[in-house]
Amino acid sequence: MQPGSDLAILRRRIAAAQSITVLTGAGISADSGVPTFRGADGLWRNFRAEDLATPEAFERDPRLIWEWYNWRRELIATKRPNPAHEAVAELERRCERFWLITQNVDGLHRAAGSRKLSEIHGNIWTVRCTGCGTIADNHDVPIAILPFCQCGSLLRPHIVWFGESLFPDDLSQCAAALRRCDVLLVIGTSGVVYPAAGFASVAKETGAFVAEINLDPTPQSSLVDLSLQGRAKEIVPLLLE
Ligand code: BV8
Ligand code: ZN
């Protein structure tokens, strides 16, 4: 590989970094067979995520929304982390000051061994009571189409829907991880959903070297320092050699 190639440049930056932050989206799980949101496989019964992942949609028809999550839980339950998830977990082990920010709710980063992470849009294996607010893990597959809490209220996915604010702890952890990193890797996200879509520019403003790994260009491509085009499961492991 020529010394000046983008891959060689990024490898050197990662090897020299004191602090690394990684931001991932659905594209890192695509290689595990989990459908992305805005790709060809992104629809369910012709609904888009933006139509279903809202408090209004749940209010209007909780059964339909639980059917959607049930379909995803049953699908995700059969999927395993891929080499890109594993490489991100390895990067955490190698770099003392490391943080992973994931928009994914599939739990595959944790399954791959990642521990220093914020699941900023929540987790599909966690439920929250709409009455008493209790948050609990729930791995029932399939989950009852209308699951209820002991207190009698309806349970909802503990997931951040459109129009809902992210969890305050996550936001402060993300702000710290973006401010202090020497390198930010942005892997497999279309960069259209805020506030995550703004994270690359936050890191850039505070002096980080920002690299994007994606099949296609995204709205952030113009502001990153380096873009590697291709499949995450092929590219991300190469960054560790
Ligand atoms: C907030 C949970 C403050 C659901 C998700 C108007 C009204 C109301 C709100 C807004 C508005 N305008 C803007 C907003 C803010 C809104 C927003 O950004 N909307 C967008 C659509 C414009 N954001 C919010 O509401 C957020 N909250 O801002 O709070 C607030 C409060 C009130 C009012 C306003 C603001 C909450 C956002 C969280 C929404 N929840 N998920 C669920 O998962 O069940 S978002 C959903 O999209 C997923 O979490 C997903 O992770 C996320 C982003 O998608 P991506 O991960 O990027 O996936 P995508 O399919 O898009 O792209 C895949 C990428 O991978 C592609 O680039 C592809 O090329 C690439 N790829 C594919 N295969 C591979 C690959 N790359 C590498 N290798 C491969 N093999
Ligand atoms: Zn309850």
Side-chain angles (χ1 to χ4, degrees), residues 26 31 37-38 69 72 103 121 160 163-164 189-190 194 214 232:
D31 291 323
F37 284 84
R38 291 164 192 86
Y69 279 100
R72 290 171 65 195
Q103 300 170 86
H121 293 161
V160 181
E164 293 186 321
T189 180
S190 59
Y194 286 84
N214 199 309

Side-chain angles (χ1 to χ4, degrees), residues 4 21 65 67 71 77 80 100 120-121 135 137 146 193 219 233:
T21 296
I65 304 313
E67 279 181 33
W71 174 75
R80 294 285 160 267
L100 166 62
I120 59 169
H121 293 161
I135 294 172
D137 266 1
L146 278 183
V193 174
K233 78 168 180 182

Side-chain angles (χ1 to χ4, degrees), residues 54-163:
T54 71
E56 296 76 19
F58 188 74
E59 188 71 32
R60 194 173 46 247
D61 187 347
R63 193 178 298 277
L64 174 73
I65 304 313
W66 267 118
E67 279 181 33
W68 179 47
Y69 279 100
N70 221 5
W71 174 75
R72 290 171 65 195
R73 283 161 70 108
E74 290 186 277
L75 180 89
I76 289 166
T78 66
K79 307 303 179 199
R80 294 285 160 267
N82 67 61
H85 293 107
E86 285 153 2
V88 169
E90 175 57 26
L91 207 47
E92 172 181 327
R93 287 189 285 272
R94 292 191 187 181
C95 181
E96 179 59 28
R97 290 168 63 201
F98 176 95
W99 201 257
L100 166 62
I101 302 169
T102 188
Q103 300 170 86
N104 300 339
V105 300
D106 57 32
L108 290 181
H109 278 300
R110 260 187 222 288
S114 288
R115 290 296 171 269
K116 293 178 168 177
L117 79 161
S118 302
E119 293 173 307
I120 59 169
H121 293 161
N123 186 301
I124 202 161
W125 302 113
T126 310
V127 294
R128 182 169 85 231
C129 177
T130 56
C132 68
T134 306
I135 294 172
D137 266 1
N138 175 305
H139 288 262
D140 301 346
V141 174
I143 192 167
I145 280 302
L146 278 183
F148 286 91
C149 174
Q150 264 96 350
C151 79
S153 299
L154 188 57
L155 293 173
R156 60 163 279 178
H158 184 52
I159 280 189
V160 181
W161 283 332
F162 290 98

